[in-house]
């Protein structure tokens, strides 16, 4: 047991959401025109989903928001007071619930409170090992650069050593992402982003490309990598080639070589590390599968991977170890309800 405390080395930014998670079926997916395994922004036709899940599918209210899950995951591993999370919530009970869950997980939250919009919600439809995410951002869409730049919050950014921003935030406040990215590049800190969902490279390509030069580490999964390749006309569906192309994109901070990490479900995780001479090193890290019967649901598995991985990076672990820590935490999370982690806290041991 370590008694040393952290110093809020890790600062995460994104969309705080409450997940409304229920078990559904083909009919429910069809009713709202949802794919079994996807993440989308809600349109008018989806607005009935949340009440439907609560009334007819025994839905549970759990903390969500991809990077908020990652923040809780990283704090699960790191010493107390290591993680700050920033985003925008409403003045309501759902917002209070998020605050309470993060406080219990030891994550310091610095929310902007929107006076008009309610806290954002994500409808989660579980069918087997798939999960369909449908997000009504509401207050989460009202994050403002002014909040980040207010003296007491910006002090936290200046103090942090590693930044983690969910790609989902590219739909919300690019100036805030760029402010953190510039801070990282100027002071040789680490700026980590996640591709988050196929619709980000598909429909938010310009925003993505604006922040790409700042990526020290980019995390994604295989479907997001394929969506990236398609929207950028890379002309390949080979994950290693796609990761290599991303690793070789121009980089603002030339002191740190870029690393691109692509998870592929049960297949090996691909890590591509750029070298100063322009070449790359490709690593493949195996996943240690658990028995299917032990899986509760896969909502938040990718966020948990990112949490374990980023914790490893904050601790200065070798890349393969950080990836293994991500796999370990994802394995723990899929055995829980939604994006949660088991208590009492378990300690990472290499697998
Ligand atoms: C902007 N969008 C669509 C989103 C999200 C999101 N988090 C932030 N922004 N859509 C889904 N999520 C979260 O992803 C987690 C699972 O990976 C859900 O809240 C869920 O907890």
């Amino acid at each position: 047991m370590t008694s040393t405390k952290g110093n809020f080395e890790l600062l995460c930014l994104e969309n705080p959401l409450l997940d409304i998670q229920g078990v559904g079926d083909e009919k429910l997916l069809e009713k709202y025109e949802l794919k079994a395994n996807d993440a989308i922004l809600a349109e008018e036709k989806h607005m009935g989903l949340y009440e439907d899940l609560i009334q007819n599918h025994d839905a549970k209210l759990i903390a969500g928001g991809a990077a908020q899950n990652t923040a809780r995951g990283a704090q699960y591993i790191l010493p107390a007071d290591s993680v700050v999370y920033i985003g925008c919530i409403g003045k309501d009970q759902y917002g209070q619930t998020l605050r309470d869950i993060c406080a219990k997980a030891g994550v310091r939250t610095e929310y902007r409170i929107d006076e008009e919009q309610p806290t954002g919600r994500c409808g989660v439809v579980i069918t087997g090992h798939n999960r369909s995410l449908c997000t009504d951002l509401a207050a989460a869409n009202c994050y403002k650069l002014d909040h980040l730049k207010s003296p007491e919050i910006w002090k936290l950014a200046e103090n942090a050593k590693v930044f983690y921003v969910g790609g989902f935030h590219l739909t919300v406040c690019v100036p805030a992402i760029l402010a953190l990215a510039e801070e990282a590049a100027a002071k040789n800190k680490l700026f980590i982003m996640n591709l988050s969902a196929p619709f980000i490279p598909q429909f938010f390509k310009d925003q993505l490309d604006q922040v790409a030069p700042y990526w020290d580490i980019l995390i994604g999964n295989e479907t997001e990598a394929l969506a990236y390749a398609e929207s950028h006309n890379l002309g390949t569906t080979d994950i290693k080639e796609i990761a290599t192309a991303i690793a070789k994109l121009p980089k603002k901070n030339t002191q740190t070589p870029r690393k691109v990490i692509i998870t592929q479900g049960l297949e090996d995780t691909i890590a591509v590390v750029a070298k100063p001479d322009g070449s790359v090193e490709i690593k493949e890290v195996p996943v240690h599968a658990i028995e299917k019967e032990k899986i509760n649901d896969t909502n938040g598995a990718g966020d948990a991977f990112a949490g374990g991985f980023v914790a490893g990076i904050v601790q200065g672990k070798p890349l393969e170890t950080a990836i293994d820590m991500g796999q370990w935490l994802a394995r723990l999370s899929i055995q829980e309800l939604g994006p949660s982690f088991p208590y009492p806290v378990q300690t990472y041991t290499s697998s």
Side-chain angles (χ1 to χ4, degrees), residues 37-38 129-131 194-199 201-202 218-231 234 236-243 246 260-271 287 298 301-302 305 327:
N37 212 13
D38 203 5
H129 289 165
N130 290 322
R131 92 286 180 266
N194 198 312
L195 283 173
S196 292
F199 87 82
Q202 264 162 10
L218 182 72
I219 304 173
N221 67 26
E222 73 280 38
T223 51
E224 294 151 11
L226 289 171
Y228 183 97
E230 207 180 321
S231 68
L234 296 188
T236 178
T237 53
D238 182 290
I239 299 297
K240 286 179 198 159
E241 284 180 19
I242 299 167
I246 299 173
V260 178
I261 316 296
I262 306 293
T263 60
Q264 318 189 78
L266 290 172
E267 310 265 303
D268 290 2
T269 299
I270 306 293
V287 172
T298 58
F305 170 81
Q327 303 295 7

Side-chain angles (χ1 to χ4, degrees), residues 14-15 17 19 41 64-66 69 122 133 135 137 168 299-300 303 339:
E14 209 210 37
N15 314 326
L17 303 173
D19 283 2
L41 287 168
N69 301 334
C122 177
L133 308 168
T135 293
L137 279 170
F168 283 130
N299 178 21
D303 309 334

Side-chain angles (χ1 to χ4, degrees), residues 35-341:
K35 291 186 203 152
N37 212 13
D38 203 5
I40 61 163
L41 287 168
E43 297 166 34
E44 210 42 55
K45 66 182 178 196
H46 299 117
M47 289 305 165
L49 171 69
Y50 307 96
E51 208 44 42
D52 203 344
L53 278 166
I54 293 171
Q55 295 300 331
N56 308 317
H57 296 272
D58 191 26
K60 304 278 182 296
L61 303 188
I62 44 189
Q68 188 167 239
N69 301 334
T70 296
R72 288 187 293 112
Q75 184 57 69
Y76 186 82
I77 293 175
L78 294 169
D81 294 347
S82 291
V83 184
V84 191
Y85 174 80
I86 293 174
C88 187
I89 59 171
K91 236 179 169 175
D92 51 23
Q93 194 49 49
Y94 278 5
Q96 191 54 45
T97 303
L98 292 185
R99 250 185 223 290
D100 293 346
I101 294 170
C102 283
K104 220 171 135 201
V107 171
R108 173 168 175 183
T109 51
E110 293 292 346
Y111 295 123
R112 175 181 184 270
I113 313 289
D114 195 78
E115 295 290 329
E116 280 146 37
Q117 290 288 325
T119 296
R121 309 169 288 177
C122 177
V124 183
V125 180
I126 302 291
T127 50
H129 289 165
N130 290 322
R131 92 286 180 266
S132 193
L133 308 168
C134 182
T135 293
D136 172 21
L137 279 170
N141 208 16
C142 303
Y143 192 73
K144 303 276 182 281
L145 179 64
D146 286 359
H147 178 266
L148 181 63
K149 283 288 184 167
S150 64
E152 60 282 20
I153 305 296
W154 190 248
K155 228 186 277 165
L156 294 168
E158 285 180 325
N159 172 72
K161 305 273 186 293
V162 178
F163 300 106
Y164 178 87
V165 181
F168 283 130
H169 204 67
L170 288 166
T171 78
V172 174
C173 188
V174 175
I177 303 176
L178 282 172
L180 295 179
E182 287 283 359
E183 164 73 13
K187 300 191 189 155
N188 199 24
K189 300 173 174 186
L190 284 179
F191 183 73
I192 308 176
M193 275 195 77
N194 198 312
L195 283 173
S196 292
F199 87 82
I200 297 293
Q202 264 162 10
F203 303 122
F204 293 84
K205 177 176 179 286
D206 292 348
Q207 292 88 333
L208 191 66
D209 293 345
Q210 231 183 315
V211 298
Y214 297 92
W215 295 335
D216 293 304
I217 303 179
L218 182 72
I219 304 173
N221 67 26
E222 73 280 38
T223 51
E224 294 151 11
L226 289 171
Y228 183 97
E230 207 180 321
S231 68
H232 290 76
N233 298 314
L234 296 188
T236 178
T237 53
D238 182 290
I239 299 297
K240 286 179 198 159
E241 284 180 19
I242 299 167
T244 300
I246 299 173
K248 287 184 172 179
L249 290 172
K251 193 164 186 296
K252 201 88 173 177
N253 175 4
T254 50
Q255 292 182 65
T256 329
R258 180 175 294 132
K259 301 178 176 78
V260 178
I261 316 296
I262 306 293
T263 60
Q264 318 189 78
L266 290 172
E267 310 265 303
D268 290 2
T269 299
I270 306 293
V272 174
V273 183
K275 298 272 162 213
D277 68 2
S279 67
V280 296
E281 190 186 343
I282 302 180
K283 300 167 196 261
E284 291 170 62
V285 184
V287 172
H288 306 273
I290 54 164
E291 304 86 88
K292 280 201 154 122
E293 306 74 59
K294 284 195 178 168
I295 300 178
N296 193 331
D297 66 72
T298 58
N299 178 21
D303 309 334
F305 170 81
F309 173 79
V310 172
I313 294 298
V314 169
Q315 290 178 326
K317 302 280 193 211
L319 193 64
E320 282 94 338
T321 308
I323 291 171
D324 193 57
M325 290 169 75
Q327 303 295 7
W328 174 80
L329 197 62
R331 202 153 67 230
L332 289 186
S333 177
I334 60 179
Q335 296 175 69
E336 304 292 312
L337 179 77
S340 312
F341 309 99

